[in-house]
Every structure is written in C-alpha cells, then in structure tokens.
Amino acid sequence: MNQASAGHLLRLIRAGQACTRGELQRVTGLSRSTVSHRLDQLFRAGWIREAAGDPVDAPTGGRPSLRLTFDTGHAVVLCADLETRHARAAVLDLGGTVLAEHAGALMINQGPDEVLGRLAHWFALLLDKAGVRVDAVCGIGLSVPGPVHPVSGEVVQPPMMPGWDRYPVARRLREALAAELRFDGASHIPVLLENDANLMAFAEQRQNFADCSAFLLIKVSTGIGAGVVVGGEIYQGIDGAAGDIGHIRLSQYGHALCRCGSYGCLAAVASGRALAEQLTAAGTPTASGSGVRDQLAVGHPDAVRLAREAGRLVGGVLATVVTLINPGVLMIAGDLAGPPFLTGVRETLYQRAMPRTTAYLQVVTSRLGDRAGLSGAAAMVVESLYAPDSADRRLAARTATSPARA
C-alpha cells in the first residue's frame, strides 16, 4: 500500500487518527503540498468534507483548525439480510443509518432466481421510498445463511440453501436490478456476500464492543452458526467454513438426522428448527425458529424447557470453542436468544470450561437485534470500497473516465 496515497489519508480520516491537514502531515510525514493534492482528489470525489472544528480544539483562543470528515451521505448501499423464511432489505447511508427498510416473507429454498428477483424489486421500491437515485448506489451487501468462500464470494455447499451452491449471485442480482430500474449502470455495482453470523458479529463488535480484540457471536435460529471477529476483522478460515458449529457431532444424539445429511449434529437437536419439530410433536404446531421465539415470548412451558435444554447442549460445545478462541465477549443472538436458552448455555459453559478462559468473559445477548445483519452487510461494503487500495483504484478510474458520481 502506498502510504502517501489518497486512500491512505482517507483511512486515517475515517478512523479519526488524523482529522486536520496538520495532523495528516504529522502522521504521514508528507509535505503540505502533497497532503493538499491528495485531499483534492478526495474532495473532487465528494468523499470528504472540511468544516470549522469545535472551539475546544483551540484552547489558546486561536481560530480552530478546519476538520476533515468522511461524508457518509455522498452515496448509499443496498443491503439485505436473508433468512430461511423471511428477509429484511434496506437502503443505508455510508455511516449505517437506515434510510428506508422493508421486511417480509421470502423462502430461501425457492432458489436464487426467485429470491434475487424479488430482492431486486424490493430494492427498487426502497430507493424510491428513500428518494435516492440509483446512480448513488456504490455497492450491495448480502447476509446469507450459509458459508461464503472468502476469495470467490460464492455460497458454498449451504445445507439450508438448495440451489445456491456456487450460483453466480452477484451477476444475477445485478441483472435483476438493471431490469427493475432500467439502469444499465447496475451491471457495474459491486455485490458482496458474507455469512449471516459473521456479519452480525462484525456489526455488534464494531458498534458495541470496539475494544474487544476477540469477539464471538452465536446465532441460534433455524440453524446454529458462529461469527468470530479477531483484531477487528472477520475470521473466515481458508474457505469460509469457520464458525459452522451447528454441524459439530454429539455422540449421544447419533439418531438425529441433520439437514446436512449427517446424524448427530448440534443443529439437529438444539436449533430453532429442531425445537419447532419437538414442539409440534408435543402438540403445539410450530413451523420454524421464529415460531419458537413466539412461544417463548408468551412463556409456553414446553418451549421454555426445550430452550433451556438446547442452551445446555450449545453451552457444552461452546466450552471447547471458548477455550480455543479465548474471547472477551460471547454474544447469543437469533430466535432463541432469551433467558431460558442463555441460562442453559451458562450452566454447562461455566461448568466445563476452565475458569481461566471464562474469568473475564462477558456473556451477553444481541444489542442490534433484527438489524445486526443489515448493519454488518453495510459495514462490509463500506470497508471494502473505501479501504486504501480499493479507494485508490476507484479514484484512478474516475480520473481516467469522467467525474461522474462514485
């Protein structure tokens, strides 16, 4: 990375490490003229603003320095959080503020063509609702309930997403959006995918536990997955399969068939889907993890009992996970993230994990709730597009073509 590049200066400004021209000179060692030249590139792109600082910035009584900030309103991102039976879509500014939002039924097992076509339609309606032009869209982020390869960006062998394996999601979504909006430029909009638990963890850590260097989120809804953020970055493993703890085998449940085709998986006995099946068998028809959440909300005795038992099973697995990762925060999220499940997790986690690994561990529930996936998807897009190397490439492309809005 070129330490003198405009993209590098933008990173310092966005991180709050250098917010005036003088601070940029001191931090980078660049001359005043070079800093001004690089900032001019960012100003022309509309990515930063400069305004008078607070009087406290000039304690000696002099005029406060002009402060540089990232302009979060110069573009928007489109994001969607896809679940197995419903989805949430939104238009957000670059600071993560939701400008328009829609949630509704959307069955992931209908396949990518149907789902992405519907999603493009939702995006078109949301842009109109937010009063935002399509040429202001700088990227699209999707949160999906399956593994995503960190290099190809493709969904890979997802147990709960039939028909999605290696499907060209980005291309199909761009085509559908171009047709909906009659906008040829949609074919150039970046589309990024990531696993839902990873994005939830990314958003929660950034917004609520920024000082935590090792953060672990467990999502327990239709399935069970984990998102791990280490040093502020999502840990994906070599092919995106990190955190797929729902398919850890429990020897005592070898009879339980999982959606992945194996027997004895944690998800086969402790997920929202598994509890829905158990409630139905006990005489309370329940279709999904969200149905279990509804039963828990009214204190249904069987739902409470089953959620606590499921928490104990997940807590037993987490004793190993926590020992391996040694996180500062363990967050429980998803449909089952309530007192009964959390109580069960704590019972076995603290019983089986070594005291040293849990001495400073915070066990909490989601702070962002249903918007965690959207927030994480938006942050993923912004971090990707405005990282130094990416920002420099985009600035160079603007210079080589025209000053059209980025």
Side-chain angles (χ1 to χ4, degrees), residues 9 39 98 132 230 233 266 299:
L9 299 192
L39 290 178
V98 174
V132 174
V230 177
E233 301 289 336
L266 178 65

Side-chain angles (χ1 to χ4, degrees), residues 55 57-65:
D57 295 331
T60 60
R63 193 168 76 178
S65 300

Side-chain angles (χ1 to χ4, degrees), residues 20-30 35:
T20 67
R21 293 170 184 262
E23 288 174 354
L24 287 171
Q25 289 176 238
R26 287 194 295 273
V27 170
T28 63
L30 299 175
V35 167

